[in-house]
Amino acid sequence: MQGRGIGRELLERVHGAGVAAGCDRFTLHASDDPRALTRYLRLGLAPAPPTVVFRAAAPVFPAARWDDGLDAQPLDREDEAQLATVGDVDAVVRGARRPDDLARWLAEGATGALLTRRDTGAPAGYFLVAGGGDGDAADGRGRIGPVAAIDVERFPAVLGRALAAAGQRHRPGVGWRIDAPGENRLEVGPLLDAGFRPERLSPFFASAAVGRFDRYLFHDEDLL
């Protein structure tokens, strides 16, 4: 059906729906089709650092470190105050809150924790993990993300807690996936050490700067 204007019409309509809903920033992951790229550019979206898709067929997850200066509170979808704090972290790091997504993922069996600084009690970040042989993930694999740290220097500690939590869920024979923003350089060493390897780069477009992706891992490339 290519060449009949259907893709352009769909894209313009979904963009218009976003504008009507009050959206002021748009993002998407793109193919390398030059015609599609032209449409994205005409809508005001510009190339940004690509997403790196990591996979691990036989990960070696680290044990949790208790000397990282963080305390963990397991996420509870019934705890409105806790999820509101997670939303505050998302507002700073991701650029927008996502209460419905968080509630749905927890209801589907994901687990995670709100991490606070042991010295001050202030929020430091949070993480979610799903699948891995303990519960379901949408694509049948284990998935780590979102992972968010308010301060970039604490991202390795937050990621370490997420990897350790994934290790608690992991069952032999189950692969894992992580979608990492290209801006995040701090995830590379820990992910390689845990057996993750880059599978591909996914082109990313945005109409304006979004969040602080140098301290963030996506849930996936569709929902960021």
Side-chain angles (χ1 to χ4, degrees):
M1 304 298 289
Q2 286 183 323
R4 302 187 184 186
I6 296 172
R8 181 185 68 250
E9 182 73 13
L10 288 171
L11 186 64
E12 290 177 353
R13 289 199 182 198
V14 78
H15 182 266
V19 171
C23 298
D24 60 1
R25 300 183 189 191
F26 294 83
T27 67
L28 59 81
H29 283 86
S31 69
D32 59 359
D33 180 351
R35 294 170 298 180
L37 300 181
T38 298
R39 298 189 189 103
Y40 305 149
L41 293 170
R42 287 190 181 279
L43 285 175
L45 288 93
T51 296
V52 185
V53 179
F54 286 93
R55 291 192 186 272
V60 181
F61 291 114
R65 293 188 57 176
W66 308 112
D67 60 350
D68 58 8
L70 301 177
D71 289 323
Q73 305 170 17
L75 292 181
D76 179 356
R77 62 191 176 100
E78 303 297 334
D79 189 334
E80 295 182 1
Q82 182 193 62
L83 293 185
T85 301
V86 172
D88 293 341
V89 175
D90 272 332
V92 171
V93 179
R94 180 176 176 265
R97 291 174 169 81
R98 59 189 322 165
D100 293 341
D101 289 338
L102 290 169
R104 183 176 71 257
W105 295 331
L106 291 169
E108 292 172 348
T111 56
L114 171 65
L115 300 170
T116 56
R117 292 179 52 170
R118 194 169 297 148
D119 56 352
T120 66
Y126 81 95
F127 66 84
L128 278 177
V129 296
D134 185 3
D136 294 328
D139 59 3
R141 301 180 179 89
R143 182 177 290 276
I144 299 174
V147 177
I150 289 180
D151 300 315
V152 67
E153 62 269 16
R154 292 190 183 272
F155 179 81
V158 176
L159 176 58
R161 291 293 187 116
L163 291 170
Q168 295 295 315
R169 298 178 65 107
H170 178 61
R171 299 295 181 269
V174 177
W176 286 77
R177 171 173 173 162
I178 293 176
D179 291 37
E183 296 96 322
N184 190 335
R185 297 174 180 234
L186 294 175
E187 93 280 0
V188 174
L191 294 187
L192 294 180
D193 289 345
F196 285 84
R197 295 294 181 266
E199 180 183 69
R200 61 183 171 85
L201 297 180
S202 181
F204 182 62
F205 279 64
S207 62
V210 181
R212 300 177 181 179
F213 287 171
D214 60 345
R215 62 203 69 180
Y216 187 62
L217 295 181
F218 297 142
H219 177 270
D220 61 46
E221 62 184 5
D222 293 323
L223 293 177
L224 299 187

